[in-house]
Amino acid sequence: MKYLLFYGKLLYVSCLLLNSQNSFGQSDNPCGAPVLPMNATCTFTAGTNAGATATPTAGIPDPLCASYSGGDVWYQITVPAGGAFTIDMNTGVMTDSGMALYSGTCSSMTLIECDDDDSGNGLMSMIQLTGQTVGATLWIRIWEYSNDNNGSFQ
């Protein structure tokens, strides 16, 4: 299991091989998104979306869940061996998250999945995927439901 920091939200990542370090810089722009490392063990990390703004939508479809209203932050991962992983969030100041996963490039993406409340941690997001292309880059977008209670998360 794992927790990842996603700009204002602590993300719990229960993973096959996905792991994060203790802290990551956050990016308000997908082209500057930090890469989350993949390891065999998973740990909690903290993040924030305080001060984040909406991503320009040219080439990137808006998420279709969790009342997206801006204030998003971005990360990227490389799909681990086996092609399966889980990204699960936990509360902080933010208690209701949205998360979307995209394929493509940082400026031209296709929405794979959008999640609102699938985590067991209150109203937080969780995405579990299998059958993904090993080695592919995927983009993770995190925001607070309705963009009205931004801040820390895990």
Side-chain angles (χ1 to χ4, degrees), residues 30-82:
C31 291
V35 177
L36 300 175
M38 307 293 247
N39 294 314
T41 59
C42 300
T43 58
F44 283 101
T45 14
T48 184
N49 72 337
T53 60
T55 300
T57 57
I60 304 171
D62 280 345
L64 304 174
C65 70
S67 190
Y68 175 76
S69 300
D72 54 16
V73 293
W74 290 86
Y75 296 88
Q76 58 179 300
I77 61 168
T78 302
V79 176

Side-chain angles (χ1 to χ4, degrees), residues 5-122:
L5 170 61
F6 285 90
Y7 212 79
K9 297 184 183 189
L10 180 63
L11 299 177
Y12 169 80
V13 177
S14 167
C15 58
L16 177 62
L17 292 174
L18 181 59
N19 184 24
S20 68
Q21 300 299 320
N22 290 331
S23 64
F24 284 97
Q26 285 124 177
S27 179
D28 205 18
N29 179 332
C31 291
V35 177
L36 300 175
M38 307 293 247
N39 294 314
T41 59
C42 300
T43 58
F44 283 101
T45 14
T48 184
N49 72 337
T53 60
T55 300
T57 57
I60 304 171
D62 280 345
L64 304 174
C65 70
S67 190
Y68 175 76
S69 300
D72 54 16
V73 293
W74 290 86
Y75 296 88
Q76 58 179 300
I77 61 168
T78 302
V79 176
F85 57 90
T86 298
I87 303 169
D88 188 8
M89 297 183 66
N90 198 2
T91 61
V93 170
M94 183 186 303
T95 59
D96 193 355
S97 67
M99 177 171 37
L101 193 67
Y102 297 84
S103 62
T105 67
C106 69
S107 60
S108 178
M109 297 183 186
T110 300
L111 182 65
I112 297 172
E113 185 170 339
C114 191
D115 184 75
D116 188 358
D117 297 334
D118 282 349
S119 175
N121 302 312

Side-chain angles (χ1 to χ4, degrees), residues 16 32 80 126 138 142:
L16 177 62
M126 182 176 76
L138 299 179
I142 304 295

